[in-house]
């Protein structure tokens, strides 16, 4: 779920965010960094956990041979996502990062999926019009729009597919 299999340019840019540069840093991004503790490393630098998600981390490349074994992925394709307290901060992060492709505010959509994806929550590989925090079901399903705003429904559909199959055996 929202996995940065190849790292994330957002993690690459965190040292700048933590340093407050380039000034002035978007207030929504500054608040997101504070709330999510992006800069809890030594002397206000990015924490080690976030630094491990940089695109230069060679350990992430070692996962490539295992990606074909992944049976399902849920990835966000909208930095703003569902309207929530996190929306403006993740949109600001995406703009600061300059992804240049669909993303969830932290991870590019293409770098998250391990197979062809669809915008329907019954698809094993689902691209939802949600952000990085929405994919966790933190804000529920979208109450307007279509099937591309239903991360919670995807979890239920995947559980049903797994456990429903087990009941038939």
């Amino acid at each position: 779920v929202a996995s940065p299999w190849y790292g994330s340019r957002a993690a690459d840019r965190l040292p700048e965010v933590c340093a407050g540069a380039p000034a002035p840093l978007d207030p929504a991004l500054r608040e997101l960094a504070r709330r999510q503790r992006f800069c809890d490393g030594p002397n206000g630098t990015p924490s080690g956990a976030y630094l491990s998600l940089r695109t230069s981390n060679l350990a992430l490349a070692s996962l490539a041979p295992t990606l074909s074994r992944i049976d399902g992925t849920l990835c966000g394709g909208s930095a703003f996502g569902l309207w929530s307290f996190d929306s403006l901060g993740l949109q600001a992060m995406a703009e600061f990062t300059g992804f240049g492709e669909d993303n969830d505010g932290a991870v590019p959509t293409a770098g998250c999926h391990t197979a062809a994806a669809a915008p329907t929550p019954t698809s094993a590989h689902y691209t939802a019009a949600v952000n990085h925090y929405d994919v966790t079901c933190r804000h529920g399903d979208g109450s307007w729009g279509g099937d591309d705003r239903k991360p919670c429904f995807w979890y239920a559909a995947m559980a049903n597919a797994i456990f429903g199959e087990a009941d038939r055996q």
Side-chain angles (χ1 to χ4, degrees):
V1 173
S3 300
W5 297 114
Y6 306 101
S8 173
R9 287 189 306 279
D12 294 343
R13 301 286 311 264
L14 277 182
E16 295 169 77
V17 171
C18 294
L25 196 60
D26 185 309
L29 178 53
R30 189 172 42 253
E31 176 58 18
L32 178 74
R34 186 196 62 74
R35 254 189 5 266
Q36 298 302 327
R37 308 176 115 183
F38 291 163
C39 306
D40 277 1
N43 301 313
T45 60
S47 68
Y50 288 113
L51 290 176
S52 73
L53 300 175
R54 290 179 294 186
T55 57
S56 61
N57 184 347
L58 298 177
L60 293 174
S62 70
L63 297 173
T66 65
L67 298 183
S68 63
R69 296 186 197 157
I70 296 173
D71 293 330
T73 53
L74 167 57
C75 303
S78 168
F80 190 83
L82 305 176
W83 177 253
S84 72
F85 191 65
D86 300 311
S87 297
L88 294 175
L90 284 167
Q91 182 67 42
M93 185 68 182
E95 290 171 7
F96 181 76
T97 299
F99 282 105
E101 61 186 298
D102 289 343
N103 65 84
D104 66 6
V107 177
T109 306
C112 170
H113 284 299
T114 60
T120 55
T122 54
S123 171
H125 299 277
Y126 174 42
T127 300
V130 298
N131 66 38
H132 195 69
Y133 299 127
D134 296 333
V135 298
T136 65
C137 216
R138 178 186 290 189
H139 305 116
D141 283 332
S143 58
W144 55 270
D147 283 345
D148 65 339
R149 300 170 49 80
K150 307 222 177 284
C152 304
F153 187 92
W154 180 83
Y155 286 106
M158 293 307 100
N160 187 52
I162 293 166
F163 296 115
E165 180 68 28
D167 289 343
R168 290 188 286 269
Q169 293 181 359

